Amino acid sequence: MLGSSIDSAQLLEALYQTLYMVSVALVIGSLIGIPLGILLVVTRTNGIWPNAIIHHVLNPIINILRSVPFIILLIAIVPFTKLLVGTSIGTTAAIVPLTVYVAPYIARLIENSLLEVDDGIIEAANAMGASPVQIIRYFLLPEALGSLILSITTAIIGLIGATAMAGAVGGGGIGDMALVYGYQRFDTLVILITVIVLVIIVQLIQSLGNVLARKVRRN
């Protein structure tokens, strides 16, 4: 027993649920957020493919989604969640709001990373006759890769924090364990254990992201 309320098997199950929610939401959120982030950059007035309509539509939508606290978003899109997965309760159901939460977050992080690329590189690519797609693929993304890795690392850590709140609606995971077995049963030891586990996970992810980013920038 790890505490008066949980054992190691329950902790491992909660850890698996957290990693499952984070990994699936991250993959789907990245597939949505990364292209959106690229579009935000290239469609700017001084971008490589200026398009005021696309930029002025995407920008406020992303701002609106990012401004909604996750716990409110979790409840607000319950009908949408039920439509997609048939239920609003459980680990799989929690992936829907997690994805809606992280996709615009990733888009903004990607935008910030790409804007760090020196304008001289883009100008050189244009001078070589590269198309917008070639500029994105061979110049913009490779040049920003180190920063992009750190951005995704930040998104993962943000997702881990969001999964803890998903426990409020029975989403499962470490956060659900802390809420049900720790807070509601006044078991301080359970809360302490879950906090330590989350801190270790976050530290490992941040350290890995830092190492990968350094390697990429050296190369």
Side-chain angles (χ1 to χ4, degrees), residues 11-27 91 95 98 156 159-160 163-164 171-175 197-198 200-202 204-205:
L11 181 61
L12 288 174
E13 176 66 19
L15 180 59
Y16 165 76
Q17 290 171 343
T18 294
L19 296 177
Y20 167 65
M21 287 187 286
V22 169
S23 57
V24 175
L26 178 68
V27 170
T91 304
I95 291 173
L98 284 170
I156 295 172
L159 264 178
I160 292 173
T163 61
I174 300 294
V197 171
L198 289 173
I200 292 173
I201 293 173
V202 168
L204 288 173
I205 291 172

Side-chain angles (χ1 to χ4, degrees), residues 13-77:
E13 176 66 19
L15 180 59
Y16 165 76
Q17 290 171 343
T18 294
L19 296 177
Y20 167 65
M21 287 187 286
V22 169
S23 57
V24 175
L26 178 68
V27 170
I28 300 174
S30 296
L31 291 175
I32 299 170
I34 292 176
L36 289 179
I38 294 172
L39 275 175
L40 282 172
V41 173
V42 301
T43 58
R44 295 165 71 90
T45 304
N46 59 344
I48 60 176
W49 184 51
N51 191 309
I53 295 176
I54 292 178
H55 188 80
H56 290 312
V57 169
L58 283 181
N59 202 46
I61 290 175
I62 290 173
N63 284 339
I64 290 169
L65 289 174
R66 285 195 62 217
S67 66
V68 181
F70 178 70
I71 192 67
I72 296 176
L73 179 67
L74 191 68
I75 299 168
I77 66 169

Side-chain angles (χ1 to χ4, degrees), residues 75-149:
I75 299 168
I77 66 169
V78 163
F80 180 62
T81 302
K82 285 184 177 180
L83 179 66
L84 288 183
V85 297
T87 180
S88 61
I89 299 174
T91 304
T92 300
I95 291 173
V96 177
L98 284 170
T99 302
V100 175
Y101 162 78
V102 81
Y105 185 41
I106 290 175
R108 197 59 80 187
L109 289 171
I110 297 301
E111 179 192 23
N112 292 336
S113 294
L114 295 179
L115 288 175
E116 293 176 4
V117 175
D118 194 315
D119 290 338
I121 293 174
I122 307 302
E123 292 172 3
N126 280 319
M128 294 169 60
S131 67
V133 173
Q134 289 174 326
I135 292 173
I136 293 169
R137 181 177 177 182
Y138 298 111
F139 296 89
L140 197 59
L141 292 178
E143 196 65 28
L145 188 55
S147 181
L148 290 173
I149 291 173

